[in-house]
């Protein structure tokens, strides 16, 4: 195992040995507003957007240091080139480091972040299950370049070797169901392997995979970190200090950095992360509970009859009743804003989005607006009856009534 965080400064981000007890421990909502205060260089209340790609060196010749004389663990007084660091993205990373409870790096997209993780870790064997098809595409590229072996997510621990990687999504795309992160961490570490958790569906405030033993956490920041369907972003966070420095150095040559506009949008979005995600998760749980009750009631009510005519089943972490002993500890802030439902037929699934007024029929998730996707539009591996629902910040009863109206139209005799 690589050593955990051992202190230092990389790209202006301090890597502490442990959180200093003398500093106040603020709540997440406060951190989201103030974690970047130390980076303020002007007296603007709203952070400025810096678009420059390059930055002047010191004017005093005595202050100029050739690159070979620089100490990688000492914060530079100024940025040099935006493929390395830039003011706006550094602010974003500072806030993410606070919210994720580990030093964080940003990338141009979630898949760019995942690719960077595979490039750095170079796993010879990867255990992975279903989940996001894009992640499997990145893994296919890694396998093409390295010949890595693919194992099943639920392989026996004895099949893992030192330096191997378990790639775990929790909650899972597209169903929103959760895996026991701690059990996979135990399996990986018992063999000297590592655990990567894609926590995109469980953003800060809902879960902290490091508490359950994750070695590296990935987010597609395009989703809840962005939260407004207007930016691409990827995030890697790790408490292994050596890994963080290595990832930071390799990102310079991968070239997969965020643009300054996207970084600015990310800072703006993180200010309201807790407000958005808490509301979205609570609304999703209400909708899931309502749908599940309609599907499993006595069938005597009209709404139940309508829904049972067109809907086969619903899936979400909140319905994993037999797992609540560990799930409530893993996701104390809520069970996530994404769920899936299966229609009775492919034809019904195809038609459902056209009957809805408040759910946009589009791929992706995490924005303030509710989305629904006939998932086969973008993922060839899923059941063609599956609908993925990403809940926004609208009032839950309005969303419920919109769904019920759509189900009623679909169930009406033609």
């Amino acid at each position: 195992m690589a050593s955990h965080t051992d202190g230092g400064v990389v790209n202006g981000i301090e890597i502490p040995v442990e959180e200093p007890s003398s500093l106040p421990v603020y709540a997440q909502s406060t951190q989201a507003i103030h974690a970047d205060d130390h980076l303020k260089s002007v007296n603007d209340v709203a952070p400025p957007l810096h678009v420059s790609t390059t930055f002047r060196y010191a004017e005093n010749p005595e202050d100029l240091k050739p690159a070979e004389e620089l100490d990688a663990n000492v914060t530079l007084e100024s940025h040099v080139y935006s493929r390395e660091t830039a003011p706006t993205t550094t602010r974003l990373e500072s806030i993410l480091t606070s919210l994720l409870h580990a030093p964080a790096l940003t990338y141009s997209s979630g898949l760019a972040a995942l690719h960077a993780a595979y490039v750095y870790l170079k796993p010879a064997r990867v255990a992975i299950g279903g989940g996001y098809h894009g992640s499997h595409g990145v893994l296919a590229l890694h396998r093409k370049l390295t010949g890595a072996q693919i194992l099943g997510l639920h392989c026996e621990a004895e099949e893992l070797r030192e330096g191997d990687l378990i790639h775990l999504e929790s909650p899972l795309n597209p169903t929103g169901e959760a895996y026991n992160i701690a059990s996979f961490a135990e399996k990986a570490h018992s063999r000297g392997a590592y655990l990567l958790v894609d926590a995109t569906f469980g953003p800060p405030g809902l879960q902290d995979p490091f508490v359950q033993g994750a070695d590296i956490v990935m987010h597609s920041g395009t989703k809840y970190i962005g939260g407004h369907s207007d930016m691409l972003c990827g995030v890697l966070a790790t408490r292994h200090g050596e890994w963080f420095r290595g990832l930071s150095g390799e990102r310079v040559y991968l070239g997969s950095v965020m643009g300054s506009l996207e970084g600015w949008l990310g800072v703006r979005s993180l200010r309201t992360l807790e407000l958005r995600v808490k509301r979205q998760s609570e609304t999703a749980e209400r909708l899931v509970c309502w749908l599940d009750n309609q599907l499993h009631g006595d069938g005597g009510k009209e709404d139940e009859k309508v829904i049972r005519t067109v809907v086969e089943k619903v899936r979400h972490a909140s319905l994993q009743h037999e797992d609540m002993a560990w799930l409530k500890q893993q996701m104390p802030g809520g069970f996530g804003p994404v769920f899936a439902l299966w229609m009775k037929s492919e034809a019904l699934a195809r038609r459902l989005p056209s009957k809805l007024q408040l759910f946009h029929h589009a791929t992706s998730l995490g924005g303030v607006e509710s989305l629904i996707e006939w998932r086969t539009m973008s993922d060839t591996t899923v059941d063609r009856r599956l609908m993925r629902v990403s809940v926004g910040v609208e009032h839950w009863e309005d969303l419920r009534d919109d769904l019920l109206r759509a189900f009623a139209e679909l169930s009406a005799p033609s």
Side-chain angles (χ1 to χ4, degrees):
M1 295 280 292
S3 62
H4 274 68
T5 298
D6 51 12
V9 176
V10 178
N11 290 348
I13 298 176
E14 182 179 358
I15 309 176
V17 176
E18 58 183 317
E19 185 173 332
S21 58
S22 60
L23 294 179
V25 180
Y26 292 118
Q28 175 186 318
S29 56
T30 305
Q31 293 172 0
I33 304 297
H34 293 286
D36 59 328
D37 280 355
H38 65 288
L39 294 173
K40 290 182 178 178
S41 57
V42 293
N43 58 5
D44 301 39
V45 173
L49 168 60
H50 298 267
V51 297
S52 182
T53 59
T54 190
F55 305 87
R56 288 188 296 269
Y57 294 117
E59 293 183 5
N60 184 355
E62 299 302 320
D63 293 334
L64 297 175
K65 288 187 177 181
E68 63 181 15
E69 297 179 13
L70 295 176
D71 185 344
N73 291 318
V74 175
T75 306
L76 296 176
E77 293 183 1
S78 173
H79 300 278
V80 175
Y81 189 58
S82 61
R83 187 158 41 81
E84 298 173 344
T85 66
T88 311
T89 49
T90 296
R91 289 185 82 119
L92 176 59
E93 290 171 347
S94 182
I95 303 171
L96 287 169
T97 292
S98 178
L99 297 180
L100 295 173
H101 305 133
L105 288 169
T106 56
Y107 294 83
S108 55
S109 70
L111 292 184
L114 182 61
H115 176 63
Y118 277 120
V119 169
Y120 179 75
L121 294 172
K122 307 183 299 295
R125 297 150 65 85
V126 177
I128 189 171
Y132 180 42
H133 61 93
S135 297
H136 287 268
V138 171
L139 183 54
L141 292 176
H142 174 71
R143 189 178 187 185
K144 173 183 175 182
L145 294 172
T146 67
Q149 182 180 353
I150 309 301
L151 305 174
L153 181 63
H154 300 286
C155 67
E156 297 297 326
E158 289 71 24
E159 296 182 60
L160 296 170
R161 301 169 187 167
E162 185 174 356
D164 288 348
L165 185 70
I166 295 180
H167 178 140
L168 179 70
E169 274 187 37
S170 189
L172 185 67
N173 189 354
T175 66
E177 294 171 295
Y179 284 119
N180 188 335
I181 296 174
S183 68
F184 284 94
E186 181 179 0
K187 180 168 76 170
H189 297 159
S190 71
R191 303 293 293 176
Y194 303 114
L195 176 63
L196 179 152
V197 175
D198 181 344
T200 297
F201 280 40
L206 299 186
Q207 68 177 10
D208 180 358
F210 290 114
V211 173
Q212 276 73 44
D215 293 291
I216 187 167
V217 174
M218 174 226 155
H219 285 269
S220 173
T222 305
K223 305 338 190 252
Y224 294 100
I225 288 169
H228 294 78
S229 304
D230 59 7
M231 58 172 277
L232 292 176
C233 170
V235 181
L236 291 178
T238 181
R239 291 177 174 176
H240 293 284
E242 181 182 347
W243 290 15
F244 181 79
R245 286 186 288 273
L247 288 164
S248 178
E250 290 186 356
R251 185 181 63 174
V252 174
Y253 303 107
L254 287 173
S256 49
V257 294
M258 289 184 71
S260 291
L261 174 59
E262 288 75 17
W264 184 86
L265 290 170
V267 171
R268 170 220 58 182
S269 298
L270 285 180
R271 304 304 198 205
T272 61
L273 176 68
E274 182 182 59
L275 297 173
R276 290 184 284 104
V277 170
K278 183 178 181 181
R279 172 68 171 263
Q280 290 169 293
S281 185
E282 290 176 350
T283 299
E285 289 178 43
R286 285 184 170 188
L287 290 172
V288 167
C289 181
W290 167 69
L291 283 167
D292 191 60
N293 287 340
Q294 302 304 307
L295 291 172
H296 296 97
D298 59 18
K301 298 178 180 179
E302 187 62 29
D303 290 355
E304 293 178 349
K305 294 177 181 178
V306 166
I307 292 173
R308 292 182 188 189
T309 300
V310 296
V311 178
E312 178 71 28
K313 60 185 178 180
V314 60
R315 290 291 183 268
H316 185 244
S318 64
L319 298 179
Q320 296 175 230
H321 303 298
E322 70 283 1
D323 296 324
M324 284 299 159
W326 59 263
L327 187 51
K328 285 185 177 180
Q329 296 182 30
Q330 181 172 301
M331 302 190 74
F335 300 113
V338 174
F339 66 90
L341 55 87
W342 279 254
M343 305 300 286
K344 289 280 190 176
S345 69
E346 178 182 334
L348 288 169
R350 179 189 289 268
R351 293 172 59 204
L352 175 60
S354 68
K355 305 297 182 181
L356 293 164
Q357 297 178 1
L358 300 181
F359 293 82
H360 297 291
H361 187 202
T363 194
S364 197
L365 55 112
V368 294
E369 60 286 309
S370 291
L371 304 179
I372 192 166
E373 182 184 23
W374 182 30
R375 189 58 181 157
T376 193
M377 291 292 292
S378 60
D379 186 348
T380 61
T381 67
V382 300
D383 187 322
R384 287 198 167 197
R385 298 172 299 153
L386 189 151
M387 312 298 299
R388 188 180 71 182
V389 182
S390 170
V391 176
V393 300
E394 302 95 338
H395 196 283
W396 91 271
E397 290 180 343
D398 292 332
L399 296 177
R400 177 200 63 190
D401 294 346
D402 194 34
L403 286 167
L404 186 56
R405 281 193 298 269
F407 294 150
E409 288 190 39
L410 290 176
S411 66
S414 54

